[in-house]
């Protein structure tokens, strides 16, 4: 290759394939680079099997702007609703907690807000961080408004993600990519030819066609037709011991959706409910030792599909001239809410590392390095939920035998000592989200940060109570989430 690659071939459509095509076409098509997507038209499994809907992290809007998409168009195309955080029930006896997005309380210099509450004697089992968060209070009340751009407004402390139907989202991305210069090719990629140097030279379709290209993008989902099937790149499993099956369904829903994703644990597994506008998606992650497929289908209403569940990541997603994206590269646990984030991050990061004449060996090493750090954060955030839960049933007891990564073990030790949280390179979750997770999972540090002892207790108590009241009062004045969606969608559910 000389300069930018002449032809980028994307094996597989869906959200992962068409999102990559859109990013590449916007940046590279004007340079004469050909972008081709082989899309077989089958149900989208590019982000993993049993993923009928997506629950995104804050930052999805930034990715959309980077892709030239309008958030309102995304919402309307994908039956979207807003997400102010995540609700967790059943992970500990009597626990019903909300992990809110946006600001929680307010730091005082280096003293984080949760340290202030601990200074006042609050313990993890009684601490309700969501009560000091506008997003948390609005979520509980079923209310929503966009954040204010005015930093002096309390409404500026709110942040949000999105709930999106996967199929509608993929259609929007496809239309935008084609409009930006990408080309669609109907067909299913099964394998590829390799040259003497080990690089791919042509993708082989099910009907016998061979498509030559310079760079190959594997967006074939967990099938990983190129990165695994041809190049043999290995898979690092993150599965919590025993939780090996996943079922899903998408049903019509007339009620106004809650601005929260709900993760509800029971004896054999847990259900993730993603509320859309006019529909809802339920995913059930379960242990086959405690529940068979028929029972799982029955729990979801009798119309679900079921498959194996093995979250994890590819050991080297960019190998030779092939880059895996979506579930071919990483299948996060749904608890991480990271499927869309990782797909967008992959596409936008590739554009900073477009390979040149040497085949991209240097760029591949850097891409894989950042990928390892980013996906490690995703792995650890979900893993901690399994480690911290206190259910007694056999599948859950077995899940607690999951071996934490060295990074997660370090993070857990820091928090257990004095409630400290340090941000890691390329971390997907900020310090406030980790604090909310530790507290929601009832992790009690041995002590608090000694810097908090320098704060006047009476003044601190007054300040925290003022924040709590302000969050509650502001949330009550916001429009109902359902009314906001009806206005934006321009129709009833």
């Amino acid at each position: 290759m000389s300069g930018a690659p002449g032809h980028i071939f994307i094996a597989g459509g869906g959200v992962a394939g068409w999102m990559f095509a859109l990013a590449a076409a916007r940046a590279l098509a004007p340079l004469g680079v050909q972008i081709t997507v082989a899309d077989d038209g089958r149900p989208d499994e590019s982000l993993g099997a049993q993923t009928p809907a997506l629950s995104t992290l804050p930052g999805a809007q930034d990715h959309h702007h980077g892709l030239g998409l309008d958030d309102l168009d995304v919402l309307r195309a994908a039956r979207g609703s807003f997400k102010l955080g995540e609700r967790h029930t059943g992970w500990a006896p009597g626990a019903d907690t909300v992990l809110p997005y946006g600001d929680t309380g307010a730091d005082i210099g280096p003293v984080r807000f949760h340290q202030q509450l601990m200074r006042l004697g609050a313990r993890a089992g009684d601490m309700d961080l969501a009560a000091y968060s506008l997003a948390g209070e609005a979520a509980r009340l079923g209310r929503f408004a966009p954040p204010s751009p005015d930093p002096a407004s309390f409404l500026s402390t709110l942040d949000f993600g999105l709930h999106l139907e996967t199929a509608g989202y993929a259609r929007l991305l496809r239309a935008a990519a084609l409009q930006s210069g990408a080309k669609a090719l109907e067909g299913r990629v099964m394998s590829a030819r390799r040259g003497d140097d080990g690089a791919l030279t042509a993708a082989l379709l099910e009907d016998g066609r061979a498509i030559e290209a310079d760079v190959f993008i594997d967006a074939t989902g967990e099938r990983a037709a190129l990165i695994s099937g041809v190049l043999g790149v290995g898979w690092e499993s993150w599965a919590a011991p025993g939780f090996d099956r996943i079922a899903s369904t998408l049903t019509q829903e007339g009620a106004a959706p809650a601005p929260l994703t709900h993760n509800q644990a029971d004896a054999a597994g847990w259900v993730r409910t993603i509320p859309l506008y006019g529909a809802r998606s339920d995913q059930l992650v379960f242990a086959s030792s405690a529940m068979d497929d028929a029972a799982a289908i029955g729990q979801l209403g009798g119309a679900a599909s079921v498959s194996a569940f093995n979250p994890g990541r590819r050991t080297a997603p960019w190998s030779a001239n092939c880059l895996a994206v979506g579930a071919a590269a990483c299948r996060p646990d749904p608890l991480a809410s990271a499927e869309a984030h990782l797909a967008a991050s992959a596409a936008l990061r590739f554009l900073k590392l477009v390979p040149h004449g040497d085949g991209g060996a240097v760029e591949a090493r850097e891409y894989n390095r950042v990928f390892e750090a980013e996906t490690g954060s995703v792995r650890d955030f979900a893993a901690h939920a399994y480690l911290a839960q206190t259910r007694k049933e056999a599948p859950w007891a077995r899940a607690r035998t999951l071996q934490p990564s060295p990074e997660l073990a370090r993070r857990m030790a820091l928090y257990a000592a004095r409630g400290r949280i340090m941000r890691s390179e390329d971390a997907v979750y900020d310090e406030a989200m980790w604090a909310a997770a530790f507290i929601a999972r009832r992790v009690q540090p041995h002590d608090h940060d000694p810097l908090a002892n320098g704060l006047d207790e009476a003044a601190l108590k007054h300040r925290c109570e003022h924040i709590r009241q302000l969050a509650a009062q502001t949330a009550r004045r916001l429009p109902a989430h359902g009314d906001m969606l009806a206005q934006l969608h321009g129709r009833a559910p």
Side-chain angles (χ1 to χ4, degrees), residues 47 56 74 195 349 372 408 410 417 427 444 449 460:
L47 299 181
T56 81
V74 172
R349 182 161 65 249
E372 182 176 358
L408 178 56
R410 178 194 66 81
Q444 179 61 44
D449 189 334
L460 183 59

Side-chain angles (χ1 to χ4, degrees), residues 14 70-71 87 111 122 155 172 191 228 235 248 260 262 266 270 274 286 308 318 320 350 368 466:
D70 180 85
D71 284 332
R87 181 185 176 198
V111 182
L155 194 55
L172 174 74
S191 187
S228 176
W235 183 256
S248 69
L260 281 170
H262 187 193
D266 58 24
W270 60 278
I274 301 176
F286 64 100
W318 188 339
F350 174 82
N368 291 339
H466 174 70

Side-chain angles (χ1 to χ4, degrees), residues 51 58 64 92 139 144 153 159 191 221 240 312 323 325 332 342-343 372 378 432 481:
T51 311
H64 290 153
F144 179 82
S153 168
D159 203 354
S191 187
L323 171 63
V325 298
L342 293 176
E372 182 176 358
V378 168
H481 182 229

Side-chain angles (χ1 to χ4, degrees), residues 64 81 139 264 343 480:
H64 290 153
S81 68
Q264 183 169 7

Side-chain angles (χ1 to χ4, degrees), residues 408-487:
L408 178 56
R410 178 194 66 81
R411 187 182 291 277
M412 291 167 64
L414 270 173
Y415 191 84
R418 290 185 177 83
R420 292 190 172 110
I421 298 169
M422 307 300 289
R423 184 171 178 83
S424 303
E425 181 188 15
D426 297 301
V428 178
Y429 312 94
D430 61 19
E431 294 174 47
M433 289 182 68
W434 268 106
F438 277 116
I439 291 166
R441 295 162 188 169
R442 300 187 174 184
V443 179
Q444 179 61 44
H446 296 301
D447 203 349
H448 57 259
D449 189 334
L451 292 178
N453 292 330
L455 302 174
D456 179 79
E457 184 174 354
L460 183 59
K461 185 179 296 186
H462 176 78
R463 182 175 186 268
C464 290
E465 177 60 19
H466 174 70
I467 292 172
R468 188 191 66 77
Q469 292 182 9
L470 187 58
Q473 292 166 3
T474 306
R476 284 195 293 268
R477 292 196 296 265
L478 300 182
H481 182 229
D483 293 344
M484 175 69 71
L485 291 176
Q487 179 181 351

